[in-house]
Amino acid sequence: MTQATSVFAAAFAPFADLAQALLAEGATGDDGSHDVAHLIRVWRNVCRLQAEEGGDLRRLCAAVLLHDGVAVEKNAPNRASASRLAADKARGLLARLGWSAPDIDAVAHAILTHSFSAGLPPETIEAKILQDADRLDAIGMIGAARCFYIAGRLGSGLYDPLDPLAHNRPLDDKAFALDHFEVKLFKLAANAQTEGGRRMAGERQARLRTVLDMLMQEIA
């Protein structure tokens, strides 16, 4: 256990011991949009939502720590399988920690259904909270930053210089980062699963609209 991991684990109080055991398995790869900082932000979102909506916080902590436990690039052909792979990995890790079968099933379901790419409906309050908490990190100011970071990582352009808002062309978020706002990010708030998630997503979507408006002012 590294000193850095111990410091990061404290951010998952009151489950710092669980975080110490799982952090190295949950923050895999070198993707700065799915790193320890992302896990901490999602955990903070989870804590806010759980305080309003209920749910088992220990299960939620494990789900947060392991929801991105298998790194699959956004443009990989098996991207839609990432959450299933992460859920299967989580089952093995939690079994080795002595978790009960119902707890493992609950965590695995939350991980399996959190993904936008998987398109699976969350059926438990923990799964709904995790999905909302993770998607909140994809909108707002941090969402805009992550969007442009991922575009650079994958070699996409920032925007189409001739038609940045795709008025006269099909949207293509593989080619242009700005297209991802309409392809995915502006759709997330409407699909929030919890009341708290809907409220927080509405606030963050307004910020994301502001980012788009300011960007268009500068490139118009």
Side-chain angles (χ1 to χ4, degrees):
M1 182 64 58
T2 67
Q3 182 177 0
T5 300
S6 297
V7 172
F8 291 140
F12 295 88
F15 303 106
D17 289 345
L18 181 63
Q20 285 189 347
L22 296 179
L23 259 179
E25 300 291 345
T28 59
D30 61 351
D31 182 354
S33 66
H34 294 91
D35 55 3
V36 173
H38 167 68
L39 298 182
I40 292 172
R41 292 192 302 270
V42 174
W43 173 239
R44 289 171 178 166
N45 292 339
V46 159
C47 289
R48 290 180 64 184
L49 292 172
Q50 190 272 343
E52 297 183 28
E53 308 290 341
D56 188 302
L57 199 57
R58 178 172 171 263
R59 290 176 175 179
L60 280 163
C61 188
V64 169
L65 290 164
L66 298 175
H67 76 280
D68 288 329
V70 176
V72 181
E73 285 285 9
K74 291 285 188 181
N75 60 352
N78 63 333
R79 176 63 187 174
S81 299
S83 63
R84 178 181 58 78
L85 296 171
D88 290 345
K89 179 180 177 180
R91 285 184 177 278
L93 291 169
L94 296 177
R96 286 196 287 275
L97 291 179
W99 281 46
S100 69
D103 284 341
I104 292 173
D105 288 343
V107 172
H109 172 71
I111 293 172
L112 178 65
T113 60
H114 90 276
S115 169
F116 185 89
S117 301
L120 299 171
E123 297 177 356
T124 65
I125 187 58
E126 291 86 7
K128 292 176 181 180
I129 287 174
L130 178 65
Q131 186 180 103
D132 282 0
D134 185 59
R135 294 183 183 186
L136 283 168
D137 204 53
I139 51 180
M141 298 302 293
I142 194 67
R146 292 178 70 206
C147 177
F148 290 120
Y149 166 86
I150 293 170
R153 180 181 175 88
L154 299 181
S156 303
L158 291 179
Y159 59 89
D160 181 344
L162 299 179
D163 190 2
L165 294 180
H167 291 309
N168 298 298
R169 63 174 176 82
L171 289 164
D172 183 0
D173 62 347
K174 292 183 174 59
F176 306 112
L178 197 60
D179 285 22
H180 195 60
F181 282 40
E182 290 293 344
V183 169
K184 176 181 177 181
L185 303 187
F186 285 142
K187 298 176 180 178
L188 296 179
N191 294 315
Q193 298 290 321
T194 66
E195 183 63 32
R198 283 186 287 274
R199 184 185 68 255
M200 293 168 65
E203 295 168 355
R204 295 196 185 198
Q205 178 161 292
R207 295 175 198 157
L208 195 61
R209 288 283 181 191
T210 299
V211 171
L212 177 60
D213 291 344
M214 290 191 299
L215 191 151
M216 290 306 300
Q217 290 173 23
E218 293 188 6
I219 68 177

